[in-house]
Amino acid sequence: MGCRRRAPASELLRIVAVGDEAGHSLRPDPARRLPGRGANMHPDPACFAQAVRRRAFGRALRITGVVDHGELAEHVDAPTTTSGQPDRARVASKVGRPT
């Protein structure tokens, strides 16, 4: 999405938009289980930054208005394990939850 390079779906992070009274927020869906229209991007901060700069999320997910990408930014910036998923212990310590 951000860098426009092709890759197998297994290497990409699925993103969905969740709507509420405040608008839409982007959520990472690494398990590929959340309902709704999804978009894929490389789980790389540079690819994420390009997608934000190009406003690609709104077009890819077919939503209008301001999109909150805070949760997605945290997920993309989190250190990853060899599986490509964020290290749960580090993410939990940032949030203040036990692992």
Side-chain angles (χ1 to χ4, degrees):
M1 174 186 306
C3 63
R4 299 182 184 180
R5 288 181 294 151
R6 291 185 170 264
S10 62
E11 294 178 14
L12 300 174
L13 174 64
R14 181 173 188 260
I15 300 157
V16 294
V18 177
D20 59 11
E21 64 277 348
H24 287 91
S25 62
L26 300 178
R27 302 258 172 89
D29 184 17
R32 303 173 109 38
R33 300 269 191 270
L34 293 177
R37 182 176 186 85
N40 293 304
M41 72 170 219
H42 292 97
D44 175 41
C47 188
F48 172 73
Q50 279 185 317
V52 170
R53 188 176 70 244
R54 291 180 37 242
R55 298 182 186 141
F57 294 113
R59 283 190 305 277
L61 297 169
R62 296 183 183 171
I63 54 177
T64 58
V66 178
V67 179
D68 175 25
H69 48 73
E71 186 176 341
L72 180 60
E74 288 179 17
H75 181 84
V76 171
D77 289 339
T80 58
T81 62
T82 56
S83 68
Q85 304 302 320
D87 183 9
R88 291 189 187 274
R90 282 204 140 137
V91 172
S93 68
K94 285 184 182 180
V95 178
R97 288 186 251 165
T99 56

